[in-house]
Amino acid sequence: MSRVQPSLPHFAEHFSQLREKYDRLLIAKDIEVLAIHAGQLKRHFMDDSEYAFRVSPHFKAVCPLLQSTNSWVLMRPEQKPTLVLFASDDFWHDAPYIDQQDWLSMFHVELISTPEAVDKYLPYDKSRTVYLGEHIEVAQALGILEVNPEAVLSYLHYARLFKSDYEIACIEQANRLAAQGHEAAEAAFFSQASEFDCWLAYMAATRQGPDEMPYNAIIGFNEHAATLHYRGKQTFAPAVMHSMLIDAGAQVRGYAADISRTYAFEDDEFAAMVKSVDSLLLDLTAQIRPNRTYVWLHEQTLLGIADILKRFDIVRMDVDTMISRKIVDKFMPHGFGHMLGLQVHDTGGSLPDASGKIIAPPARYANLKTTRKIEPRQVVTLEPGLYFIDSLMQQLANGPDAKAVNWAKLDELRNFGGIRIEDNLLITEQGARNLTREQGLA
């Protein structure tokens, strides 16, 4: 990959809007310096190698520099931010390369050769300095007492709900890369490659490896698709190919795409079920309107899955009863989706405003984390799923509604694992744009 990030439109406008948001926060909270820490490397236990570095989302929200450990952005009210860049003179690690980045002029840049040297750019009296980041011990060593205050986090998390034109462009480009990867993995699957080889095909197409991807790709064949966060990638293809579930994304300037697809190896009844889940996603997308809620969207998703269970004679019960008795939850045990942006599961899904209060989920959906109102410029995933998970099927078998399940058919479907179709949606004034389908991915 090039050491220079691809230039994208609207960054200057985005950064100006960002500065205004931070200025309002710092003035309202009487903060002299907001010290945003990129993070630092962590070593494996009793080893001299490090875990892969993941930059703090608070840092990359301001500076699209994703691989610079021990660096900082220092925000002061109504002043140009200072980028304190760690540039060690050792020969073990890459030095940060920023000279040709299109965002460089937005910052004063100061170089430090040791992590603790950042103190030179902080006030002597740190009573009005706030630390944002993961490493509380670093803040303590610097004498910063205010660490990740809830009022500051709530303000920033709420602000991140609404994407600028620049952020939308980043997520669109991430979807474009991920779509290329999905097409390559699909072709590998139908050529009877292994899970591991499908993963290699995905990385080759996106030109992103595990350290660049926003999350660990899930590629599961057959019954592996029933494990929602399946981590194994077997190096041999199974004797009989039934299905592949792939959940994999890409990242552009810190912004993520998160896409899932399921493929049936044969044109059989499972393939028809996959098409039905795909049609459900498209139907739900067409129903989205601002001022509806994400709880409503979750309810509509469950209704759609219940209808598929009935139509394919898996559960012999009317849809409303299937919902009220929570039978459908055994086949789709997760939410409709989640916020998407600087993090794959991005912030603000339950925040009605910047105050920090939370919209609690209804008792019926106690684990649902995205509960707020649907509004323009939010980006969310929509991911209806239908799985045949042994532990949940056993709960059904032991429960009062066991006779409503067509166990003969269900036993056949266990070999396929399950189905997840996931697209990334931009909420607009009129409804929703499907950023994933716009890239040509079916």
Side-chain angles (χ1 to χ4, degrees):
M1 293 179 65
S2 169
R3 300 177 76 188
V4 179
Q5 295 168 322
S7 181
L8 287 170
H10 312 299
F11 183 74
E13 179 185 9
H14 164 77
F15 198 81
S16 176
Q17 295 169 356
L18 202 64
R19 285 273 308 274
E20 290 176 6
K21 292 175 183 177
Y22 278 85
D23 283 345
R24 287 196 295 270
L25 170 67
L26 299 181
I27 292 169
K29 302 300 181 185
D30 192 30
I31 297 171
E32 181 181 1
V33 177
L34 185 64
I36 309 173
H37 190 200
Q40 59 191 28
L41 290 170
K42 300 177 186 177
R43 286 194 169 183
H44 294 275
F45 181 58
M46 298 184 69
D47 203 342
D48 62 356
S49 64
E50 294 97 4
Y51 291 99
F53 176 68
R54 291 283 183 173
V55 68
S56 162
H58 293 291
F59 182 91
K60 67 177 179 176
V62 181
C63 176
L65 190 61
L66 307 183
Q67 291 296 326
S68 186
T69 60
N70 302 302
S71 296
W72 301 73
V73 170
L74 306 180
M75 307 286 290
R76 291 177 167 86
E78 300 179 328
Q79 294 184 36
K80 194 174 189 178
T82 299
L83 172 61
V84 182
L85 192 63
F86 176 66
S88 173
D89 55 7
D90 72 43
F91 48 79
W92 294 106
H93 301 100
D94 289 343
Y97 184 81
I98 64 170
D99 290 350
Q100 298 180 36
Q101 305 294 358
D102 61 356
W103 45 262
L104 185 59
S105 64
M106 310 294 178
F107 297 90
H108 293 300
V109 179
E110 303 288 353
L111 300 180
I112 57 175
S113 58
T114 61
E116 60 271 15
V118 66
D119 198 31
K120 175 182 176 181
Y121 303 101
L122 295 171
Y124 176 77
D125 177 4
K126 298 182 177 65
S127 60
R128 294 170 54 226
T129 297
V130 170
Y131 172 90
L132 282 188
E134 177 184 359
H135 299 277
I136 297 173
E137 73 282 3
V138 171
Q140 292 172 336
L142 292 168
I144 303 174
L145 300 180
E146 281 285 319
V147 176
N148 298 325
E150 192 61 40
V152 171
L153 293 180
S154 295
Y155 177 94
L156 295 176
H157 290 173
Y158 178 75
R160 272 169 52 188
L161 274 168
F162 306 99
K163 305 300 188 289
S164 68
D165 289 344
Y166 161 77
E167 293 175 300
I168 293 166
C170 288
I171 298 171
E172 284 178 320
Q173 178 64 20
N175 267 266
R176 190 166 301 122
L177 290 176
Q180 293 169 3
H182 277 266
E183 289 171 347
E186 176 191 4
F189 168 66
F190 283 111
S191 71
Q192 295 186 277
S194 68
E195 294 172 347
F196 184 80
D197 288 323
C198 289
W199 185 46
L200 292 179
Y202 187 92
M203 288 189 289
T206 60
R207 312 304 295 170
Q208 294 190 1
D211 291 350
E212 291 82 30
M213 290 181 185
Y215 61 96
N216 188 0
I218 300 165
I219 299 177
F221 289 0
N222 299 352
E223 67 277 4
H224 294 159
T227 301
L228 299 188
H229 286 175
Y230 173 69
R231 296 303 186 205
K233 294 179 177 69
Q234 295 198 2
T235 57
F236 56 89
V240 180
M241 304 280 275
H242 293 296
S243 62
M244 177 178 76
L245 188 154
I246 172 170
D247 185 335
Q251 185 171 219
V252 169
R253 294 172 69 125
Y255 290 86
D258 179 6
I259 301 171
S260 299
R261 288 293 182 270
T262 304
Y263 301 101
F265 196 75
E266 302 289 347
D267 187 13
D268 51 18
E269 187 176 40
F270 182 77
M273 290 178 63
V274 172
K275 290 179 182 177
S276 292
V277 175
D278 185 75
S279 295
L280 171 62
L281 185 149
L282 298 177
D283 290 344
L284 291 169
T285 302
Q287 296 177 46
I288 291 174
R289 298 289 183 276
N291 295 318
R292 291 176 174 170
T293 70
Y294 288 109
V295 174
W296 165 85
L297 183 54
H298 182 63
E299 290 173 338
Q300 298 307 305
T301 305
L302 289 181
L303 283 168
I305 294 298
D307 180 65
I308 293 171
L309 291 169
K310 182 177 176 60
R311 282 193 286 116
F312 282 86
D313 193 34
I314 299 168
V315 180
R316 293 163 174 168
M317 181 181 287
D318 67 88
V319 167
D320 290 339
T321 305
M322 221 185 296
I323 296 289
S324 65
R325 297 187 67 81
K326 298 187 178 181
I327 295 173
V328 67
D329 300 58
K330 298 292 191 288
F331 294 91
M332 183 179 154
H334 57 71
F336 75 89
H338 49 79
M339 295 295 172
L340 182 69
L342 285 167
Q343 292 173 273
V344 177
H345 289 240
D346 213 7
T347 59
S350 61
L351 295 175
D353 53 44
S355 69
K357 66 181 179 182
I358 298 293
I359 301 175
R364 170 65 179 81
Y365 313 115
N367 295 322
L368 189 63
K369 296 179 180 178
T370 310
T371 55
R372 73 175 322 279
K373 183 170 65 174
I374 299 171
E375 293 185 78
R377 290 193 174 272
Q378 296 167 353
V379 177
V380 298
T381 69
L382 180 55
E383 48 187 294
L386 199 170
Y387 313 89
F388 314 108
I389 301 169
D390 283 341
S391 60
L392 298 183
M393 297 305 98
Q394 191 60 49
Q395 291 178 22
L396 267 180
N398 295 336
D401 299 304
K403 291 182 179 180
V405 177
N406 182 349
W407 292 106
K409 175 167 283 192
L410 190 55
D411 286 340
E412 294 174 4
L413 291 170
R414 291 177 198 268
N415 293 325
F416 295 85
I419 303 165
R420 179 160 67 251
I421 309 293
E422 178 182 20
D423 288 348
N424 303 167
L425 309 181
L426 168 66
I427 307 303
T428 69
E429 296 285 352
Q430 293 74 37
R433 275 180 56 200
N434 191 317
L435 303 181
T436 305
R437 303 297 169 120
E438 288 178 1
Q439 312 313 318
L441 185 65

